[in-house]
Amino acid sequence: ALRHRRPGWLVPAGVCVAAMAATQSRGAFVSAAAGVAVVLLQGRRRGIQVAIVAVAVALGTVFPAAVDTVEHVAIGHRPATELSQNSSVREHVAWYAVRVAAEHPLRGIGYGIFPSYAENSPRLGIYIATHNDYLRLAAETGIPALMVFLVLIWLGMKSPASGEAAVQRAMVAAYAVGMLFANTLANLVVSMPFWLALGCLLAASSAREQPTTLAQGAHT
C-alpha cells in the first residue's frame, strides 16, 4: 500500500490484523510492529530514524498504560494470570534450552527432538517447544548452526534496500523478531515467505558486490 500508493492492499492487511488479533499473541503483535517500523523507517535519513525510535521508546517509557491499551486493542485482552503463567513456562523452557545447548554445543540433540527431549527430562517433564527459534536451533542443531543462520540474516539485512527489496527487508525483520516468540522455522509453509524474502535480499546483495569485485579485478 505504501510502496505503490494503492490503498486497496489495506484490505488483505486488515484480514491479517483480524487473524492476528484472534490469536491474542503478544509475539505476533511485536513482530508486526517491527515489520511496519522497518517499512516506515528505511530510506529515511539516519537522524530521522534515530529521532523516531527515540520518541517511540520515550513514549513507551513515559506512557506504559498507552502501550498496554494499544496492545489490547490490537490483540485483545488476556487475563493477567494467564499471561503470567505463560511467561513463567516460557522462561523455564528458555533456560532449559540454553542448558541443552551448552551440554550439546556442536551438533545439538537432533532437529525436531526438543519437545520429546524436554518431556523425558526430569528438569522439565512436559512436552513443549522452545517458543524461540534461535534457542531451538542452538539446542537441536548446535551453536555453529545458529551462528550460520544469524550470519545469513545479517548478510541479507546489512544493506539499505529500496523498491520491492524494501518490502522483503521488512518481512525478514518481522520474522526475525517473531522467532523470539515462536518456532516458525519448524513449519515450511509458515516460514516460506521468510526464506523467499531472505533469498532475494542475499541475491540482490551479491549482485551489488559483483560489479565492485569485477572493477577491482580489472583495475588490478
Side-chain angles (χ1 to χ4, degrees):
L2 182 64
R3 163 68 179 156
H4 297 288
R5 301 296 191 271
R6 295 178 178 176
W9 280 104
L10 295 176
V11 175
V15 175
C16 293
V17 170
M20 183 185 70
T23 67
Q24 295 190 343
S25 169
R26 292 169 292 177
F29 175 71
V30 175
S31 302
V36 172
V38 171
V39 169
L40 297 177
L41 290 176
Q42 62 186 347
R44 301 181 183 275
R45 296 198 305 270
R46 181 59 57 89
I48 295 178
Q49 292 179 345
V50 172
I52 293 176
V53 172
V55 170
V57 172
L59 290 175
T61 303
V62 178
F63 303 107
V67 176
D68 291 340
T69 301
V70 172
E71 182 179 358
H72 290 161
V73 170
I75 64 174
H77 179 71
R78 295 169 64 183
T81 54
E82 179 186 343
L83 293 175
S84 178
Q85 182 180 5
N86 182 274
S87 299
S88 177
V89 171
R90 292 195 178 202
E91 181 180 355
H92 281 83
V93 173
W95 281 112
Y96 178 68
V98 171
R99 177 172 293 185
V100 171
E103 293 175 350
H104 306 82
L106 296 180
R107 299 179 59 185
I109 58 176
Y111 194 76
I113 302 298
F114 185 87
S116 57
Y117 192 87
E119 183 180 29
N120 295 324
S121 171
R123 297 173 182 170
L124 205 59
I126 56 176
Y127 187 89
I128 188 172
T130 60
H131 292 283
N132 182 311
D133 256 332
Y134 302 107
L135 292 179
R136 184 179 71 89
L137 287 175
E140 293 184 350
T141 64
I143 295 177
L146 172 61
M147 298 305 297
V148 170
F149 179 68
L150 293 176
V151 168
L152 285 176
I153 294 180
W154 177 77
L155 290 175
M157 295 287 292
K158 68 175 182 176
S159 301
S162 59
E164 303 300 334
V167 180
Q168 297 162 359
R169 195 164 182 254
M171 187 180 299
V172 171
Y175 267 86
V177 173
M179 290 176 201
L180 294 169
F181 309 99
N183 296 122
T184 53
L185 294 180
N187 189 318
L188 288 178
V189 175
V190 174
S191 61
M192 186 184 302
F194 166 76
W195 290 117
L196 290 175
L198 180 59
C200 291
L201 290 175
L202 291 173
S205 177
S206 177
R208 286 193 299 268
E209 293 176 358
Q210 188 174 4
T212 304
T213 303
L214 293 176
Q216 291 176 346
H219 177 74
T220 302

Coordinates of all heavy atoms in Angstrom, one line a residue, residues 89-152:
V89 N 6.2 -20.3 32.2 CA 6.6 -21.5 31.5 C 7.6 -21.3 30.4 O 8.6 -22.1 30.3 CB 5.3 -22.2 30.9 CG1 5.6 -23.3 30.0 CG2 4.3 -22.6 32.0
R90 N 7.4 -20.2 29.6 CA 8.4 -20.0 28.6 C 9.8 -19.6 29.1 O 10.8 -20.0 28.5 CB 7.9 -18.8 27.7 CG 6.6 -19.1 26.9 CD 6.4 -18.1 25.8 NE 5.2 -18.5 25.0 CZ 5.0 -18.0 23.8 NH1 5.9 -17.2 23.2 NH2 3.9 -18.4 23.1
E91 N 9.8 -19.0 30.3 CA 11.1 -18.7 30.9 C 11.8 -19.9 31.3 O 13.0 -20.1 31.0 CB 10.9 -17.8 32.1 CG 12.2 -17.4 32.8 CD 12.0 -16.5 34.0 OE1 10.8 -16.1 34.2 OE2 13.0 -16.2 34.7
H92 N 11.1 -20.9 31.9 CA 11.7 -22.1 32.3 C 12.2 -22.9 31.1 O 13.3 -23.5 31.1 CB 10.7 -23.0 33.1 CG 10.6 -22.6 34.5 ND1 9.7 -21.5 34.9 CD2 11.1 -23.0 35.6 CE1 9.8 -21.4 36.2 NE2 10.7 -22.3 36.7
V93 N 11.4 -22.9 30.0 CA 11.8 -23.6 28.8 C 13.0 -23.0 28.1 O 13.9 -23.7 27.7 CB 10.6 -23.7 27.8 CG1 11.0 -24.2 26.4 CG2 9.4 -24.5 28.3
A94 N 13.0 -21.7 28.2 CA 14.2 -21.0 27.6 C 15.5 -21.3 28.3 O 16.5 -21.6 27.6 CB 13.9 -19.5 27.6
W95 N 15.4 -21.3 29.6 CA 16.6 -21.6 30.4 C 17.0 -23.1 30.2 O 18.2 -23.4 30.1 CB 16.4 -21.4 31.9 CG 16.6 -19.9 32.2 CD1 15.6 -19.1 32.6 CD2 17.8 -19.1 32.1 NE1 16.1 -17.8 32.8 CE2 17.5 -17.8 32.5 CE3 19.1 -19.4 31.7 CZ2 18.4 -16.8 32.5 CZ3 20.0 -18.4 31.8 CH2 19.7 -17.1 32.2
Y96 N 16.0 -24.0 30.0 CA 16.3 -25.4 29.8 C 17.0 -25.5 28.4 O 17.9 -26.3 28.2 CB 15.1 -26.2 29.8 CG 15.3 -27.7 29.6 CD1 16.0 -28.5 30.4 CD2 14.8 -28.2 28.4 CE1 16.2 -29.8 30.2 CE2 15.0 -29.6 28.1 CZ 15.7 -30.4 29.0 OH 15.9 -31.7 28.7
A97 N 16.5 -24.8 27.4 CA 17.1 -24.9 26.1 C 18.5 -24.4 26.1 O 19.4 -24.9 25.4 CB 16.2 -24.0 25.1
V98 N 18.8 -23.3 26.9 CA 20.2 -22.8 27.0 C 21.0 -23.9 27.6 O 22.2 -24.1 27.1 CB 20.2 -21.5 27.9 CG1 21.6 -21.2 28.2 CG2 19.5 -20.4 27.1
R99 N 20.5 -24.6 28.6 CA 21.3 -25.7 29.2 C 21.6 -26.8 28.2 O 22.7 -27.3 28.2 CB 20.6 -26.2 30.5 CG 21.3 -27.3 31.2 CD 20.6 -27.7 32.5 NE 20.8 -26.6 33.4 CZ 20.4 -26.7 34.7 NH1 19.8 -27.8 35.2 NH2 20.6 -25.7 35.5
V100 N 20.6 -27.2 27.5 CA 20.7 -28.2 26.5 C 21.8 -27.8 25.4 O 22.6 -28.6 25.1 CB 19.4 -28.6 25.8 CG1 19.6 -29.5 24.6 CG2 18.4 -29.2 26.8
A101 N 21.7 -26.6 25.0 CA 22.7 -26.1 24.0 C 24.1 -26.1 24.6 O 25.1 -26.4 23.9 CB 22.3 -24.7 23.5
A102 N 24.2 -25.8 25.9 CA 25.5 -25.8 26.5 C 26.1 -27.2 26.6 O 27.3 -27.4 26.6 CB 25.5 -25.1 27.9
E103 N 25.2 -28.2 26.9 CA 25.6 -29.6 27.0 C 25.9 -30.2 25.7 O 26.6 -31.2 25.6 CB 24.5 -30.3 27.8 CG 24.3 -29.9 29.2 CD 23.2 -30.6 29.9 OE1 22.4 -31.3 29.2 OE2 23.0 -30.4 31.1
H104 N 25.3 -29.7 24.6 CA 25.5 -30.3 23.3 C 25.8 -29.2 22.3 O 25.0 -28.9 21.4 CB 24.3 -31.1 22.8 CG 23.8 -32.1 23.7 ND1 23.0 -31.9 24.8 CD2 24.0 -33.5 23.8 CE1 22.8 -33.0 25.5 NE2 23.4 -34.0 24.9
P105 N 27.0 -28.5 22.5 CA 27.2 -27.3 21.7 C 27.5 -27.4 20.2 O 27.2 -26.5 19.5 CB 28.4 -26.7 22.4 CG 29.1 -27.9 23.0 CD 28.1 -28.9 23.4
L106 N 28.0 -28.6 19.8 CA 28.5 -28.7 18.4 C 27.4 -29.2 17.5 O 27.1 -28.6 16.4 CB 29.7 -29.6 18.3 CG 30.9 -29.1 19.1 CD1 32.1 -30.0 18.9 CD2 31.3 -27.7 18.5
R107 N 26.7 -30.3 17.9 CA 25.8 -30.9 17.0 C 24.3 -30.9 17.5 O 23.4 -31.3 16.8 CB 26.2 -32.4 16.7 CG 27.5 -32.5 16.0 CD 27.9 -33.9 15.8 NE 26.9 -34.6 15.0 CZ 27.0 -35.9 14.7 NH1 28.0 -36.7 15.2 NH2 26.1 -36.5 14.0
G108 N 24.1 -30.4 18.7 CA 22.8 -30.4 19.3 C 22.3 -31.8 19.6 O 23.0 -32.8 19.6
I109 N 21.0 -31.8 19.9 CA 20.3 -33.1 20.2 C 19.6 -33.8 19.1 O 19.1 -34.9 19.2 CB 19.4 -33.0 21.4 CG1 18.3 -31.9 21.1 CG2 20.1 -32.5 22.7 CD1 17.2 -31.8 22.1
G110 N 19.5 -33.0 17.9 CA 18.8 -33.6 16.8 C 17.7 -32.7 16.4 O 16.9 -32.2 17.3
Y111 N 17.5 -32.4 15.1 CA 16.5 -31.5 14.6 C 15.1 -32.0 14.9 O 14.8 -33.2 14.6 CB 16.6 -31.2 13.1 CG 15.9 -30.0 12.6 CD1 16.3 -28.8 12.9 CD2 14.7 -30.2 11.9 CE1 15.6 -27.7 12.4 CE2 14.0 -29.1 11.5 CZ 14.5 -27.8 11.7 OH 13.8 -26.8 11.3
G112 N 14.3 -31.2 15.5 CA 12.9 -31.6 15.8 C 12.7 -32.4 17.1 O 11.6 -32.9 17.3
I113 N 13.7 -32.6 17.9 CA 13.7 -33.5 19.0 C 13.4 -32.8 20.3 O 13.0 -33.5 21.3 CB 15.1 -34.3 19.1 CG1 15.4 -35.0 17.8 CG2 15.1 -35.2 20.3 CD1 14.4 -36.1 17.5
F114 N 13.5 -31.5 20.4 CA 13.4 -30.8 21.7 C 12.2 -31.1 22.5 O 12.3 -31.4 23.7 CB 13.6 -29.3 21.5 CG 13.6 -28.6 22.8 CD1 14.8 -28.4 23.4 CD2 12.5 -28.0 23.3 CE1 14.9 -27.7 24.6 CE2 12.5 -27.4 24.5 CZ 13.7 -27.2 25.2
P115 N 10.9 -31.1 21.9 CA 9.7 -31.3 22.7 C 9.8 -32.6 23.4 O 9.5 -32.7 24.6 CB 8.6 -31.2 21.7 CG 9.1 -30.3 20.6 CD 10.6 -30.7 20.5
S116 N 10.1 -33.7 22.7 CA 10.1 -35.0 23.4 C 11.3 -35.1 24.3 O 11.2 -35.8 25.4 CB 10.2 -36.1 22.3 OG 11.4 -36.0 21.5
Y117 N 12.4 -34.5 24.0 CA 13.6 -34.4 24.9 C 13.2 -33.7 26.2 O 13.6 -34.2 27.3 CB 14.7 -33.7 24.2 CG 16.1 -33.9 24.9 CD1 16.9 -34.9 24.6 CD2 16.5 -32.9 25.8 CE1 18.1 -35.1 25.2 CE2 17.8 -33.0 26.4 CZ 18.6 -34.1 26.1 OH 19.8 -34.3 26.7
A118 N 12.4 -32.6 26.1 CA 12.0 -31.9 27.3 C 11.0 -32.7 28.1 O 11.1 -32.7 29.4 CB 11.4 -30.6 26.9
E119 N 10.2 -33.5 27.5 CA 9.2 -34.3 28.2 C 9.9 -35.4 29.0 O 9.4 -35.7 30.1 CB 8.2 -34.9 27.2 CG 7.1 -35.7 27.8 CD 6.1 -36.3 26.8 OE1 6.6 -36.6 25.7 OE2 5.0 -36.5 27.1
N120 N 10.9 -36.0 28.5 CA 11.6 -37.1 29.1 C 12.7 -36.6 30.1 O 13.3 -37.4 30.8 CB 12.3 -38.0 28.1 CG 11.3 -38.7 27.2 OD1 10.2 -39.1 27.6 ND2 11.6 -38.8 25.9
S121 N 12.8 -35.3 30.2 CA 13.8 -34.8 31.2 C 13.2 -34.5 32.5 O 12.2 -33.9 32.7 CB 14.4 -33.5 30.6 OG 15.2 -32.8 31.6
P122 N 13.9 -34.9 33.6 CA 13.4 -34.7 35.0 C 13.5 -33.2 35.3 O 12.8 -32.7 36.2 CB 14.4 -35.5 35.9 CG 15.6 -35.7 35.0 CD 15.1 -35.8 33.6
R123 N 14.2 -32.4 34.5 CA 14.4 -31.0 34.8 C 13.1 -30.2 34.3 O 12.8 -29.1 34.8 CB 15.6 -30.4 34.0 CG 16.9 -31.0 34.5 CD 18.0 -30.5 33.6 NE 19.3 -31.0 33.9 CZ 20.4 -30.9 33.2 NH1 20.4 -30.3 32.1 NH2 21.5 -31.5 33.6
L124 N 12.4 -30.8 33.3 CA 11.2 -30.1 32.8 C 10.0 -31.0 32.9 O 9.0 -30.6 33.5 CB 11.5 -29.6 31.4 CG 10.7 -28.4 30.9 CD1 10.9 -27.2 31.8 CD2 11.1 -28.1 29.4
G125 N 10.0 -32.1 32.2 CA 8.9 -33.1 32.3 C 7.7 -32.8 31.5 O 6.6 -33.3 31.8
I126 N 7.7 -31.8 30.6 CA 6.5 -31.5 29.8 C 6.9 -31.5 28.3 O 8.0 -31.1 27.9 CB 5.8 -30.2 30.2 CG1 6.8 -29.0 30.1 CG2 5.2 -30.3 31.6 CD1 6.2 -27.7 30.4
Y127 N 5.9 -31.9 27.5 CA 6.1 -31.8 26.0 C 5.9 -30.4 25.5 O 4.7 -30.0 25.4 CB 5.2 -32.8 25.3 CG 5.4 -33.0 23.8 CD1 6.3 -34.0 23.4 CD2 4.8 -32.2 22.9 CE1 6.6 -34.2 22.1 CE2 5.0 -32.4 21.6 CZ 5.9 -33.4 21.1 OH 6.2 -33.5 19.8
I128 N 6.9 -29.7 25.2 CA 6.8 -28.3 24.8 C 7.9 -27.9 24.0 O 9.1 -28.4 24.1 CB 6.7 -27.4 26.1 CG1 6.3 -26.0 25.7 CG2 8.0 -27.5 26.9 CD1 6.1 -25.1 26.9
A129 N 7.7 -27.0 23.0 CA 8.7 -26.5 22.2 C 9.4 -25.3 22.9 O 8.9 -24.8 23.9 CB 8.1 -26.0 20.8
T130 N 10.4 -24.8 22.3 CA 11.2 -23.7 22.9 C 10.5 -22.4 22.8 O 10.7 -21.5 23.6 CB 12.6 -23.5 22.3 OG1 12.4 -23.2 20.9 CG2 13.4 -24.8 22.4
H131 N 9.6 -22.2 21.9 CA 8.9 -20.9 21.6 C 9.9 -19.8 21.3 O 9.7 -18.7 21.6 CB 8.0 -20.5 22.8 CG 6.8 -21.4 23.0 ND1 5.7 -21.3 22.2 CD2 6.6 -22.4 23.8 CE1 4.8 -22.2 22.6 NE2 5.3 -22.9 23.5
N132 N 11.1 -20.2 20.8 CA 12.1 -19.3 20.4 C 13.0 -20.1 19.4 O 13.7 -21.0 19.8 CB 12.9 -18.9 21.6 CG 14.0 -17.9 21.3 OD1 14.8 -18.1 20.4 ND2 14.1 -16.8 22.0
D133 N 12.9 -19.7 18.2 CA 13.6 -20.5 17.1 C 15.2 -20.4 17.3 O 15.9 -21.3 16.9 CB 13.2 -20.0 15.7 CG 12.3 -21.0 15.1 OD1 12.3 -22.2 15.4 OD2 11.5 -20.5 14.2
Y134 N 15.7 -19.3 17.8 CA 17.1 -19.2 18.0 C 17.6 -20.2 19.0 O 18.6 -20.9 18.8 CB 17.5 -17.8 18.4 CG 17.0 -16.7 17.4 CD1 16.0 -15.9 17.7 CD2 17.7 -16.6 16.2 CE1 15.5 -15.0 16.8 CE2 17.2 -15.6 15.3 CZ 16.1 -14.8 15.6 OH 15.7 -13.9 14.7
L135 N 16.9 -20.3 20.1 CA 17.2 -21.3 21.1 C 17.0 -22.7 20.6 O 17.7 -23.6 21.0 CB 16.4 -21.1 22.4 CG 16.7 -19.8 23.2 CD1 15.8 -19.7 24.4 CD2 18.1 -19.8 23.6
R136 N 15.9 -22.9 19.8 CA 15.7 -24.2 19.3 C 16.8 -24.7 18.3 O 17.3 -25.8 18.4 CB 14.4 -24.2 18.5 CG 14.0 -25.6 17.9 CD 12.7 -25.5 17.2 NE 12.8 -24.8 15.9 CZ 13.1 -25.4 14.8 NH1 13.4 -26.7 14.7 NH2 13.2 -24.8 13.7
L137 N 17.3 -23.8 17.5 CA 18.4 -24.1 16.6 C 19.7 -24.5 17.4 O 20.4 -25.4 17.1 CB 18.7 -23.0 15.7 CG 17.7 -22.8 14.5 CD1 18.0 -21.5 13.7 CD2 17.6 -24.0 13.6
A138 N 19.9 -23.7 18.5 CA 21.1 -23.9 19.3 C 21.0 -25.3 20.0 O 22.0 -26.0 20.1 CB 21.3 -22.8 20.3
A139 N 19.8 -25.6 20.5 CA 19.7 -26.8 21.2 C 19.6 -28.1 20.3 O 20.1 -29.1 20.6 CB 18.4 -26.8 22.1
E140 N 18.9 -27.9 19.2 CA 18.7 -29.1 18.3 C 19.8 -29.3 17.3 O 20.1 -30.4 16.9 CB 17.4 -28.9 17.6 CG 16.2 -29.0 18.5 CD 14.8 -28.9 17.8 OE1 14.8 -28.7 16.6 OE2 13.8 -29.2 18.4
T141 N 20.4 -28.2 16.8 CA 21.4 -28.4 15.7 C 22.8 -27.9 16.1 O 23.7 -28.0 15.3 CB 21.0 -27.6 14.5 OG1 20.9 -26.2 14.8 CG2 19.6 -28.0 14.0
G142 N 22.9 -27.3 17.3 CA 24.2 -26.8 17.8 C 24.4 -25.4 17.6 O 23.8 -24.7 16.7
I143 N 25.4 -24.8 18.3 CA 25.6 -23.4 18.3 C 26.2 -22.9 16.9 O 25.9 -21.9 16.4 CB 26.6 -23.0 19.4 CG1 25.9 -23.2 20.7 CG2 27.0 -21.5 19.3 CD1 26.7 -23.0 22.0
P144 N 27.1 -23.8 16.3 CA 27.6 -23.3 14.9 C 26.5 -23.1 13.9 O 26.5 -22.2 13.1 CB 28.5 -24.5 14.5 CG 29.0 -25.1 15.8 CD 27.8 -25.0 16.7
A145 N 25.5 -24.0 13.9 CA 24.4 -23.8 13.0 C 23.6 -22.5 13.3 O 23.2 -21.8 12.4 CB 23.4 -25.0 13.1
L146 N 23.4 -22.2 14.6 CA 22.8 -21.0 14.9 C 23.6 -19.8 14.4 O 23.0 -18.8 13.9 CB 22.6 -20.9 16.4 CG 22.1 -19.5 17.0 CD1 20.7 -19.2 16.4 CD2 22.1 -19.5 18.5
M147 N 24.9 -19.8 14.5 CA 25.7 -18.7 14.1 C 25.6 -18.5 12.6 O 25.6 -17.4 12.1 CB 27.2 -19.0 14.5 CG 27.4 -19.0 16.0 SD 26.8 -17.6 16.9 CE 27.8 -16.3 16.2
V148 N 25.6 -19.6 11.8 CA 25.5 -19.6 10.4 C 24.1 -18.9 10.0 O 24.1 -18.1 9.1 CB 25.6 -21.0 9.8 CG1 25.2 -20.9 8.3 CG2 27.0 -21.5 9.9
F149 N 23.1 -19.3 10.7 CA 21.8 -18.7 10.5 C 21.8 -17.2 10.7 O 21.2 -16.4 10.0 CB 20.7 -19.4 11.3 CG 19.3 -18.9 11.2 CD1 18.6 -19.1 10.0 CD2 18.7 -18.2 12.2 CE1 17.3 -18.6 9.8 CE2 17.4 -17.8 12.1 CZ 16.7 -18.0 10.9
L150 N 22.4 -16.8 11.8 CA 22.4 -15.4 12.2 C 23.2 -14.6 11.1 O 22.9 -13.5 10.8 CB 23.0 -15.2 13.6 CG 22.2 -15.7 14.7 CD1 22.9 -15.5 16.0 CD2 20.8 -15.0 14.8
V151 N 24.3 -15.2 10.6 CA 25.1 -14.6 9.6 C 24.3 -14.4 8.3 O 24.4 -13.3 7.7 CB 26.4 -15.4 9.3 CG1 27.1 -14.9 8.0 CG2 27.3 -15.3 10.5
L152 N 23.5 -15.4 7.9 CA 22.6 -15.2 6.8 C 21.7 -14.1 6.9 O 21.5 -13.3 6.0 CB 21.8 -16.5 6.5 CG 22.6 -17.7 6.0 CD1 21.7 -18.9 5.9 CD2 23.1 -17.4 4.6

